[in-house]
Amino acid sequence: MLCNFSMILASLKLDREAYGIAVKTDNQHVTAKEFQEAMLSCKYSTGKGIIPRVEWKKLRNGDVSFVYYRDNLVGDLKGRAEMIDSSIRIRNVTRKDSASYRCEVSAPTERGQNVAEATVTLTVLVASAAPSCIVPSSAMSGTVVEMRCKENEGSPASEYKWYRNGVVLVENAGMGSDKKRNISYTMNKKTGTLLFNRVSKDDTGEYYCEASNGIGLPQKCSAKRMQVDDLNISGIIAAVVVVALVMALCGLGVFYAQKKGYFSKENSSQKKSSDYKYTPSEKDFRHTKSFVI
């Protein structure tokens, strides 16, 4: 009985050595700048006499696709990557390579297919692009003005700075010491918005925005000028007076025309034409009489 139990243990040990597979990676989170190289590491160990099958799969936005299958690089990595043992070296990564990659090592056993795997996440760092800026060309003092700055290429996401006449504007203005200096704007470096609650003539100037995410050089948009003017009260009053005078002159003109009888003469002529009655002449009477006879 004891002999049989020892044989069973020995058989299990041999089976574990023959068919057991272990997979690991040296780096689960790989980062690389765009157009540089990246290494996706995968190492495995198996029992004696086992020839395993190695496959790599790409997982991105819910889609799964092969990048190494049947001893060949395929799909997105074909022609720009190479296998080093069971690892993949990508020579020039692009932003589309950002994804999770799964190394799968499998081998057949008497109890079925034995599979082990390791996952590597690749993040491609992309420099910020030149942002687009929205700056109004003019504004009235005391009104609300919002400027916007945005770029969508950078990975990780960019942060933003605003400049006026070449001088960087302070973030989170309007609070603390900035409030004492009567700074009327609020800047959000995450969203790129610059908000003036009450714009003044002192805010007139040339504005531009700078985007940066630490990858490559900061990028900026072209400077745009915003002109802030005070509300011209005297001009508005003068315009109202001119409109009132024009309306008064039109009224006087109508009154004068009525007084002179221009409208009555026209009405009387129309009345005379409508009151005219046709009287048959003697010639017409004779013609009618002869027709009756």
Side-chain angles (χ1 to χ4, degrees), residues 12-168:
L12 289 174
K13 183 179 180 181
L14 287 172
D15 183 69
R16 190 163 55 247
E17 290 178 353
Y19 301 111
I21 300 175
V23 179
K24 68 175 184 178
T25 178
D26 292 337
N27 191 355
Q28 289 184 328
H29 302 283
V30 178
T31 58
K33 293 182 179 180
E34 191 172 29
F35 308 124
Q36 295 185 358
E37 72 171 40
M39 177 67 77
L40 309 181
S41 169
C42 179
K43 297 180 179 180
Y44 67 88
S45 61
T46 64
K48 296 179 181 179
I50 296 298
I51 301 177
R53 182 178 67 187
V54 178
E55 295 175 346
W56 277 89
K57 295 177 181 178
K58 179 180 180 180
L59 297 81
R60 179 183 171 95
N61 299 327
D63 296 329
V64 180
S65 59
F66 280 103
V67 291
Y68 182 73
Y69 181 66
R70 292 185 176 179
D71 300 328
N72 286 294
L73 287 161
V74 295
D76 294 342
L77 300 185
K78 185 177 181 180
R80 58 188 186 91
E82 63 179 336
M83 294 297 298
I84 301 178
D85 295 329
S86 55
S87 301
I88 298 178
R89 184 175 76 91
I90 306 175
R91 289 190 290 268
N92 55 333
V93 297
T94 68
R95 63 195 70 189
K96 293 182 179 180
D97 294 327
S98 291
S100 293
Y101 294 84
R102 189 167 64 212
C103 174
E104 298 179 357
V105 181
S106 61
T109 69
E110 293 178 355
R111 293 186 298 272
Q113 195 80 355
N114 192 4
V115 180
E117 62 185 39
T119 301
V120 180
T121 301
L122 173 61
T123 302
V124 179
L125 305 177
V126 182
S128 302
S132 60
C133 301
I134 299 178
V135 178
S137 58
S138 62
M140 300 301 295
S141 60
T143 60
V144 177
V145 172
E146 183 181 60
M147 300 181 186
R148 282 175 282 178
C149 178
K150 190 66 176 177
E151 74 86 26
N152 297 312
E153 299 294 325
S155 176
S158 296
E159 293 188 352
Y160 304 92
K161 292 180 181 179
W162 277 95
Y163 292 78
R164 178 174 61 207
N165 298 328
V167 179
V168 65

